[in-house]
Amino acid sequence: MNRRKGSLALSLLLFLTALLTLSLGFLFYQGRSREAVIHYRKGLQSVYGAESGASWALALLSQGGEKRDLSLTLLGRMVTVSFPEEGKIQSMAEDGRKDYRRYVVISYTLEEKEGKGLLKVEDIRSEP
């Protein structure tokens, strides 16, 4: 009869150990998933910031404004817009720690039609 109590206790101990291992594995998995979601969200905020800066530059050019470099804060990101060469807009967004840096590059042509400037976007690229 003592053997049965020992084998039952051993079986119960093995079951609880396996349950504890599975629980810790699940908690570790949840922590890593949450961390991945946070990294994705921060990167996406940088992409949105860079796109907003590029849109601002396009609006400025379509209204006949002059090309000038610009720095502003959008969505908690520092956004820098520049015109590296004729027909290109480069917008870069990064967070305060200079992580999660994302770029948007727009190629465009500006034509004069009937006294108005016609802005035509040729290519849009998003770079990590």
Side-chain angles (χ1 to χ4, degrees), residues 100-124:
Y100 305 102
R101 183 178 293 174
R102 300 295 187 268
Y103 293 90
V104 171
V105 179
I106 296 178
S107 300
Y108 68 92
T109 56
L110 187 60
E111 300 172 358
E112 287 289 326
K113 245 188 190 178
E114 300 173 3
K116 293 184 178 181
L118 180 64
L119 186 68
K120 184 177 177 184
V121 175
E122 302 289 334
D123 184 38
I124 301 173

Side-chain angles (χ1 to χ4, degrees), residues 51-101:
E51 287 177 354
S52 296
S55 295
W56 182 89
L58 284 173
L60 177 74
L61 289 176
S62 69
Q63 294 174 357
E66 67 180 57
K67 297 178 192 174
R68 59 184 167 90
D69 293 352
L70 162 80
S71 293
L72 59 133
T73 303
L74 289 171
L75 302 170
R77 300 287 182 255
M78 184 65 184
V79 179
T80 306
V81 180
S82 62
F83 299 88
E85 59 188 65
E86 187 63 34
K88 286 203 185 257
I89 298 170
Q90 180 178 4
S91 179
M92 185 266 303
E94 62 188 0
D95 67 349
R97 297 182 337 182
K98 308 236 185 260
D99 290 335
Y100 305 102
R101 183 178 293 174

Side-chain angles (χ1 to χ4, degrees), residues 1-11:
M1 195 154 173
N2 287 340
R3 282 185 154 183
R4 286 187 188 172
K5 285 185 180 180
S7 64
L8 182 62
L10 183 59
S11 297

